[in-house]
Amino acid sequence: MKKPLPFLFLFLGILTFSQQVESLTTILNDKISIRALEIYDGKVWYSGTDSKFGCVDLKNFNNQKQIKLSEKKLQFRTLAQDKTSFYAINIESPAYFFKIDKKSLKSQTIFTDTTKTAFYDALHYVNEDLAYAFSDSDKDNNLKLAVFNSKGRNKWYLIENERKLNPGEAAFAASNTNIASTKNYLWIATGGKASRILRLAFKNEKFEIFDTPFIQGESSQGMYSIDFINDKFGIAVGGDYTKQDANVNNIATTNDGGETWQIQASGKNAGYTTCVKIKPNSKGKEIISVGDQHISYSSDFGKTWKKISDEKGFFVCKWVNGNTIVLAGKDKISLLKLKF
């Protein structure tokens, strides 16, 4: 009875990493850097550098549209949507909040943050009535959020918060994914001199801040992306963009809503990572991640990882369906199909 066990473990290992790349197809080539994606109406929508905003049909790649949201050469690293509109905010000050009608693609500026320190790292819609945008803090290290609440002021506004970030603690506008939410919570991941999790409970609108064992201490280190499947299980990825091969303490998971984090695959992953997305309906078991130098996959809740592609230059990814992921980054959007 003891002899079959090694073969059983080998078989299970093969099953664990049975996913393979069926195809990786570039569907957009352009002089652009893209760090934010949305899926709508069978198309992938993007915002990027040089004020560019557009879409590519996921079934007919030649069906493409692109507009410029401004005559200024703005850099967009955020994108979100509700039922009728898309929303995007440029990095750097002044920060313009754009609303783009889904039918006409006509855009308008609905809010402007003229604070000199404005630098919006992520924009996130919790639901149709509530949205948050996270900016680097001001000179006093106060937590800075812009909020939209249709049941309150029904417009974007800045909120004052007594919570302070540590000196040198900020966030990374790497893939518009350092914010995540469920029905009851919003999470924000920080990085730099400190890499912590900020958790907002919608019930009482109170923030809690939790330390993490993630790599931190330098301005280039920390969590770059998070995703949560429910109120308890979440994953964070990141590293150090100046040392992209470094792979120690750059992946972590939580099973208690972000209060405590467990380092995973330290020293056994592909390195610096900018975006992580849990596969829908997988209950957190299957996860895709991308970095400048790799595409990686986990089939065991983020505990172990397999590099499935050496393709370079991707910053952001998003699931289209159970075996298809759209990826974007430097000068391209691509469609990845997996077989299991």
Side-chain angles (χ1 to χ4, degrees):
M1 294 299 293
K2 293 181 179 180
K3 289 183 179 180
L5 285 177
F7 297 99
L8 175 61
F9 291 145
L10 176 61
F11 177 69
L12 289 175
I14 293 173
L15 283 181
T16 300
F17 284 128
S18 60
Q19 73 290 331
Q20 300 176 35
V21 173
E22 178 178 312
S23 62
L24 181 61
T25 307
T26 298
I27 62 176
L28 174 74
N29 282 295
D30 191 16
K31 189 177 181 181
I32 188 174
S33 178
I34 300 171
R35 294 181 178 269
L37 296 173
E38 288 289 336
I39 305 294
Y40 168 72
D41 193 30
K43 303 177 181 67
V44 55
W45 298 79
Y46 62 90
S47 63
T49 50
D50 201 19
S51 297
K52 291 178 179 180
F53 167 83
C55 68
V56 182
D57 193 312
L58 291 171
K59 291 185 177 180
N60 177 11
F61 306 151
N62 292 321
N63 181 16
Q64 303 181 10
K65 296 180 182 178
Q66 188 180 92
I67 62 173
K68 288 198 174 186
L69 297 178
S70 173
E71 293 301 317
K72 301 176 182 178
K73 290 190 175 183
L74 302 177
Q75 291 192 48
F76 291 96
R77 298 189 183 183
T78 60
L79 188 63
Q81 64 172 312
D82 60 16
K83 290 181 180 179
T84 62
S85 305
F86 292 103
Y87 302 86
I89 311 169
N90 62 284
I91 59 172
E92 301 175 337
S93 180
Y96 302 102
F97 288 52
F98 287 86
K99 180 179 182 180
I100 307 111
D101 184 87
K102 285 183 172 179
K103 291 183 178 179
S104 67
L105 295 188
K106 291 183 178 179
S107 66
Q108 58 178 313
T109 303
I110 55 175
F111 181 70
T112 303
D113 183 353
T114 58
T115 310
K116 290 183 179 180
T117 55
F119 194 105
Y120 281 88
D121 301 291
L123 167 63
H124 179 77
Y125 265 71
V126 176
N127 52 48
E128 296 294 312
D129 302 310
L130 183 63
Y132 291 88
F134 177 52
S135 171
D136 286 352
S137 59
D138 59 23
K139 62 181 181 178
D140 297 320
N141 295 319
N142 292 314
L143 173 62
K144 183 177 180 180
L145 288 173
V147 181
F148 172 81
N149 190 338
S150 69
K151 296 181 179 180
R153 302 187 190 182
N154 198 30
K155 64 180 181 179
W156 282 96
Y157 57 93
L158 295 174
I159 63 170
E160 295 182 2
N161 194 288
E162 72 278 6
R163 291 291 186 179
K164 286 185 177 291
L165 300 183
N166 291 330
E169 181 181 12
F172 300 106
S175 60
N176 196 45
T177 55
N178 55 24
I179 295 182
S181 69
T182 56
K183 182 179 179 181
N184 296 308
Y185 295 106
L186 176 85
W187 294 269
I188 298 173
T190 66
K193 297 293 184 181
S195 190
R196 302 187 295 172
I197 287 289
L198 287 63
R199 186 178 72 182
L200 172 67
F202 296 130
K203 184 177 181 179
N204 56 19
E205 296 187 341
K206 297 294 185 181
F207 265 105
E208 298 174 277
I209 301 181
F210 305 110
D211 293 330
T212 76
F214 225 84
I215 183 172
Q216 56 195 283
E218 301 293 336
S219 61
S220 55
Q221 297 176 340
M223 291 179 284
Y224 280 69
S225 177
I226 56 173
D227 200 13
F228 277 78
I229 196 66
N230 51 39
D231 286 350
K232 297 296 185 181
F233 180 77
I235 184 164
V237 301
D240 187 335
Y241 74 81
T242 67
K243 300 174 183 176
Q244 299 204 9
D245 291 333
N247 62 357
V248 175
N249 296 347
N250 64 320
I251 300 173
T253 58
T254 179
N255 289 289
D256 56 12
E259 295 183 27
T260 62
W261 291 81
Q262 296 75 47
I263 292 294
Q264 306 290 359
S266 185
K268 298 178 181 180
N269 64 80
Y272 167 71
T273 304
T274 55
C275 186
V276 64
K277 284 293 179 182
I278 298 171
K279 180 179 176 179
N281 303 316
S282 74
K283 298 182 180 180
K285 183 177 181 181
E286 297 178 64
I287 310 170
I288 192 83
S289 71
V290 299
D292 287 3
Q293 308 293 318
H294 67 95
I295 304 171
S296 294
Y297 199 92
S298 174
S299 341
D300 58 2
F301 301 94
K303 294 178 181 178
T304 60
W305 290 81
K306 176 185 178 182
K307 182 168 65 171
I308 59 174
S309 175
D310 288 307
E311 187 74 15
K312 296 176 174 54
F314 290 122
F315 308 137
V316 58
C317 60
K318 205 170 188 72
W319 287 93
V320 178
N321 54 44
N323 70 335
T324 307
I325 302 110
V326 63
L327 313 98
K330 180 174 171 51
D331 300 333
K332 62 185 175 182
I333 297 178
S334 298
L335 202 62
L336 173 68
K337 290 191 176 181
L338 300 176
K339 57 182 178 180
F340 296 87

